[in-house]
Amino acid sequence: MSDTNALLAALRQSADPAVADKIDELVAHGTDRELNRVNPVAFATRYGFDEDRTVSTFLHAGRMGLFDISWNVLCPGCGGVMEAGSTLKTVNRDHYHCALCATGYEPTLDEMVEVTFTVSPRVRRIAAHDPDRLPLLEYYRQVYFSSGVALPEDLEARFSKSMLEMVELAPGERAILSMQLPEGFIIIFDAVTHSTQFLEVKGEPTQERQLLTMVISQGQSGNQALTLRPGPLRLTVENHTDRRVLPNVCVADDNLRGILSTRVRFLTAKQLLSNQTFRDIYRTDTLDIDQRLKITSLTFLFTDLRGSTALYERVGDLAAFDLVRAHFKVLYDIVAAEAGAVVKTIGDAVMATFPTPERAVSAALRMREAMRTLNDERGHEELLLKIGLHEGPCLAVNLDDRQDYFGQTVNIASRVQNLADTRAILTTEAVLTNDRVAGILSGSGIEPVPRPATMLRGIDHEVKIFALP
């Protein structure tokens, strides 16, 4: 435990000490369930902490070995975890299928990949470290469902109203279950292998016993729905895997849907990739060189210093270098404070990303004001910043050994910045359609001024651009 105490002490030094104290308390006194797949967003809400500081503290805790990070591909329908991996590199398929919902999805980093933190077994052993020993419904709660599904505390009592049967089968074991089928849609589902059988029960009730065999094997996908009649069923379930399986038979009714209906925000992969702490401490350990992961909405901010060459000529290399470095530090601090991340610098230019448009707009306004303050302190307008914004879909990729972004949205944002001058921030209409952006601008007394429709170089359609004076 002394090693753990040393790590926690180091965490207080490198991250938010208040959040670190609460993590210390969680590790020492939290239940096993509370220490499995911790949702940092919910953690911040629960204790009234700043969300970005909480995420950063958990990232530091993960890097130190206090917690193991899991990247979980989620079903948008039921909230189940279709696949889990220790790095984003494991999200390497073009298509994921939820057997429970019988629906396929192309993965996106916006709402389909969550990031959770489980206490390391070196710090404290919990039941989830050996999931095959978890009680049946705890396996569903702690392993199958994501941290974004707020399952009720009385899950067993609630679920029993929809459940007809549930059984635990060891490897190679077989069970014979007898039940009375009601009219409706019945699901036989195993949370370990995701094996599924759908039953459509309809027609005239029968007194004759119906027979059905379900074989659970590794990698099995969902089956076509079978039609049965209301009445007695003799179900044989066989486990052909080398693991314990947990098949249950339940009615897909309003009660079941109600159990899964309460959702909470969770830490998405998109949010994490645009987190400066994550980029700083994990660097290239994010994507494989061939990975192309879709993000449906990300906001890009580009900046550049106008006349930087003349600045070097006017004040000399050393003084100009110090000025430019001071400008970079201010921009980095503002980006991080607005939950964004600097992707790269190109000469005197900066490319940054933000999970939402209002964060980017707030950062842009703060950058402009910060440059004015720096210039006022020197008594000269030597740092003249051009800023451009755009929001839209993109791909997260690995370029030149760093996590980067690719796509038309990136190109448009860069082109918009190229059109900007130092008097006004330029942004596209896509950014301004966000309600929270409108609130920020209204609160700042800024009225967007439309510019003539513009054809940007390399873009085959007109882009509506607005100036923020």
Side-chain angles (χ1 to χ4, degrees):
M1 196 63 182
S2 59
D3 289 343
T4 299
N5 289 336
L7 290 174
L8 288 166
L11 182 63
R12 292 184 181 89
Q13 296 296 319
S14 60
D16 189 297
V19 179
D21 284 343
K22 193 57 68 173
I23 289 176
D24 185 356
E25 182 180 317
L26 177 66
V27 170
H29 306 294
T31 65
D32 282 12
R33 184 194 296 173
E34 290 173 329
L35 284 161
N36 181 50
R37 286 189 179 167
V38 179
N39 176 343
V41 175
F43 188 91
T45 300
R46 179 179 179 183
Y47 295 109
F49 292 138
D50 176 80
E51 185 177 305
D52 299 326
R53 287 178 175 271
T54 303
V55 170
S56 294
T57 304
F58 270 97
L59 286 170
H60 281 288
R63 197 59 165 172
M64 291 175 178
L66 289 164
F67 285 82
D68 295 328
I69 301 179
S70 180
W71 302 75
N72 310 318
V73 183
L74 310 183
C75 169
C78 68
V81 176
M82 296 184 286
E83 187 172 276
S86 59
T87 72
L88 187 55
K89 295 176 182 179
T90 59
V91 184
N92 54 15
R93 289 196 274 146
D94 295 332
H95 186 86
Y96 288 86
H97 181 83
C98 176
L100 183 56
C101 295
T103 307
Y105 301 95
E106 181 183 9
T108 66
L109 300 184
D110 301 67
E111 298 297 335
M112 276 189 62
V113 181
E114 72 164 355
V115 185
T116 58
F117 297 78
T118 297
V119 67
S120 168
R122 297 182 298 275
V123 173
R124 176 177 156 184
R125 292 289 306 183
I126 60 173
H129 290 145
D130 189 4
D132 287 343
R133 296 174 66 91
L134 283 168
L136 278 66
L137 283 180
E138 279 301 302
Y139 186 96
Y140 277 80
R141 182 193 291 273
Q142 295 193 41
V143 179
Y144 180 74
F145 285 109
S146 73
S147 70
V149 181
L151 295 172
E153 286 298 319
D154 60 343
L155 176 61
E156 186 170 357
R158 291 278 301 276
F159 189 53
S160 65
K161 297 176 182 179
S162 298
M163 184 175 64
L164 301 178
E165 285 285 354
M166 190 170 192
V167 66
E168 176 180 351
L169 295 177
E173 192 174 6
R174 179 178 69 169
I176 299 176
L177 309 174
S178 295
M179 68 196 74
Q180 195 73 18
L181 288 181
E183 186 173 11
F185 197 76
I186 308 296
I187 302 173
I188 309 172
F189 178 70
D190 168 50
V192 179
T193 63
H194 298 192
S195 297
T196 312
Q197 178 63 66
F198 301 115
L199 305 178
E200 190 173 0
V201 182
K202 61 183 182 180
E204 288 294 321
T206 181
Q207 297 301 317
E208 183 178 343
R209 187 179 299 278
Q210 301 166 99
L211 303 177
L212 177 64
T213 297
M214 179 177 177
V215 175
I216 297 178
S217 58
Q218 200 65 46
Q220 180 177 331
S221 59
N223 298 313
Q224 293 293 323
L226 301 177
T227 301
L228 296 177
R229 294 164 63 185
L233 171 69
R234 181 176 181 179
L235 173 64
T236 302
V237 185
E238 299 179 2
N239 180 7
H240 287 196
T241 76
D242 58 0
R243 292 187 61 186
R244 176 191 72 159
V245 296
L246 308 171
N248 77 87
V249 185
C250 66
V251 182
D253 55 11
D254 288 341
N255 176 64
L256 182 62
R257 286 185 282 272
I259 291 172
L260 304 179
S261 63
T262 303
R263 304 297 175 91
V264 296
R265 285 184 58 236
F266 55 84
L267 178 60
T268 66
K270 179 187 94 167
Q271 185 179 345
L272 200 56
L273 292 184
S274 285
N275 179 283
Q276 191 63 55
T277 300
F278 177 76
R279 294 188 69 97
D280 288 345
I281 67 178
Y282 285 88
R283 299 187 182 275
T284 61
D285 188 26
T286 308
L287 297 170
D288 275 331
I289 190 67
D290 295 325
Q291 269 184 293
R292 308 286 187 270
L293 295 175
K294 288 185 66 175
I295 298 176
T296 58
S297 172
L298 195 65
T299 306
F300 290 86
L301 180 152
F302 280 82
T303 73
D304 196 10
L305 280 175
R306 193 191 76 177
S308 58
T309 302
L311 173 64
Y312 278 85
E313 184 72 26
R314 185 169 62 254
V315 303
D317 288 347
L318 186 59
F321 176 76
D322 288 341
L323 271 173
V324 172
R325 187 172 60 176
H327 131 275
F328 275 134
K329 183 181 186 309
V330 168
L331 298 193
Y332 268 78
D333 289 345
I334 290 173
V335 169
E338 293 295 342
V342 173
V343 179
K344 58 188 174 184
T345 59
I346 309 166
D348 299 326
V350 168
M351 170 185 173
T353 59
F354 298 84
T356 54
E358 74 274 10
R359 290 285 207 169
V361 169
S362 179
L365 296 176
R366 290 177 62 182
M367 288 175 180
R368 179 166 65 181
E369 188 60 34
M371 291 305 104
R372 288 172 178 168
T373 300
L374 282 176
N375 286 330
D376 288 345
E377 290 173 353
R378 292 187 56 82
H380 299 282
E381 284 197 346
E382 292 174 330
L383 295 173
L384 303 174
L385 200 62
K386 304 193 304 176
I387 306 174
L389 303 166
H390 182 50
E391 178 270 339
C394 63
L395 294 176
V397 299
N398 187 321
L399 288 176
D400 300 325
D401 293 325
R402 67 165 173 259
Q403 192 253 306
D404 207 335
Y405 298 93
F406 178 83
Q408 197 75 301
T409 299
V410 183
N411 296 335
I412 291 174
S414 176
R415 303 286 189 272
V416 169
Q417 182 272 315
N418 287 338
L419 294 177
D421 55 38
T422 59
R423 295 186 301 275
I425 297 164
L426 292 191
T427 180
T428 61
E429 186 178 38
V431 173
L432 296 181
T433 56
N434 181 278
D435 290 340
R436 293 181 178 177
V437 168
I440 289 173
L441 296 180
S442 175
S444 302
I446 296 174
E447 182 68 31
V449 179
R451 289 201 168 188
T454 306
M455 291 296 296
L456 301 176
R457 180 171 56 85
I459 310 300
D460 61 4
H461 60 275
E462 290 185 344
V463 178
K464 292 184 179 180
I465 298 176
F466 293 77
L468 307 180

